[in-house]
Amino acid sequence: MKGSDKVIEILNEVLAAEILAIIQYESHHYHAEETLALKRLGEMFHETSEKEMKHMEDLSERIHFLEGLPTTKLLGKPAPVGDAKAMVEANIELEYDAIKRLNRGIKLCCDEGDNGSRALLESILKDEEDHADEFEDVRDLIDSLGKHYLATLVEKKP
Ligand SMILES: [Fe+2]
Ligand SMILES: [Fe+2]
């Protein structure tokens, strides 16, 4: 089914941002686990990345369905690794950017009369809002409890 060029373009922009998120979360995952020895934090980044991988899959499937070609580009550069708080803050920013882009995309899909693509972007938006919320909780706990909270992130979830 041939989709609108504008819809395919925004789906590809969202896809390129998902690819960037996966690269960023996987490098933060490795750094948290191997360099900072915060296995639970690394696990959190990896679990989020797995959700982004599912988004990547769903977006490329939708783009193929609309007879477009999924991009292989990254949208921007991954945030560098750093201490726990710096990485969590960078990840909150990444999720905020995704939320803005998705809201813009949902509006565009409505304007173009493509409710199938709109529904996909809405379901992704819900996940990104949850990710932002989870990372905000981690940031707030680092701020309020500092090293006592970080100590709880050493071991993976039982
Ligand atoms: Fe995502
Ligand atoms: Fe996300």
Side-chain angles (χ1 to χ4, degrees):
M1 192 184 100
K2 184 83 186 79
S4 113
D5 289 343
K6 283 184 189 167
V7 168
I8 292 170
E9 195 182 323
I10 187 69
L11 293 175
N12 261 325
E13 188 185 326
V14 174
L15 174 59
E18 295 288 357
I19 302 170
L20 174 77
I22 293 163
I23 304 287
Q24 179 167 318
Y25 290 154
E26 286 305 322
S27 74
H28 288 193
H29 153 72
Y30 184 84
H31 185 75
E33 277 202 22
E34 302 302 325
T35 310
L36 305 179
L38 296 172
K39 293 204 164 44
R40 173 66 194 120
L41 184 67
E43 187 180 40
M44 243 182 254
F45 293 154
H46 182 61
E47 285 168 353
T48 313
S49 165
E50 284 178 326
K51 300 267 173 54
E52 315 302 5
M53 288 178 202
K54 177 74 174 70
H55 297 161
M56 177 179 79
E57 214 178 295
D58 292 346
L59 285 159
S60 47
E61 202 175 296
R62 180 74 192 168
I63 293 165
H64 279 301
F65 179 78
L66 298 175
E67 298 176 21
L69 191 63
T71 188
T72 54
K73 283 185 194 137
L74 300 189
L75 195 77
K77 276 192 179 167
V81 298
D83 65 16
K85 188 171 172 187
M87 291 194 290
V88 170
E89 280 180 335
N91 296 344
I92 291 172
E93 283 310 310
L94 184 143
E95 296 292 344
Y96 286 170
D97 286 347
I99 289 166
K100 275 189 222 146
R101 185 177 304 107
L102 285 158
N103 277 304
R104 176 162 56 82
I106 289 163
K107 188 173 176 306
L108 188 138
C109 290
C110 286
D111 293 346
E112 294 291 304
D114 182 345
N115 285 306
S117 299
R118 177 191 53 79
L120 172 62
L121 295 185
E122 280 176 353
S123 82
I124 295 175
L125 173 64
K126 178 76 189 65
D127 287 345
E128 312 306 13
E129 287 178 345
D130 288 344
H131 297 164
D133 197 53
E134 282 162 20
F135 287 138
E136 283 169 353
D137 288 348
V138 174
R139 179 202 55 203
D140 294 348
L141 285 164
I142 293 174
D143 282 346
S144 58
L145 302 174
K147 62 179 190 228
H148 301 291
Y149 174 65
L150 291 174
T152 69
L153 300 179
V154 169
E155 293 298 329
K156 284 191 182 178
K157 269 192 306 204

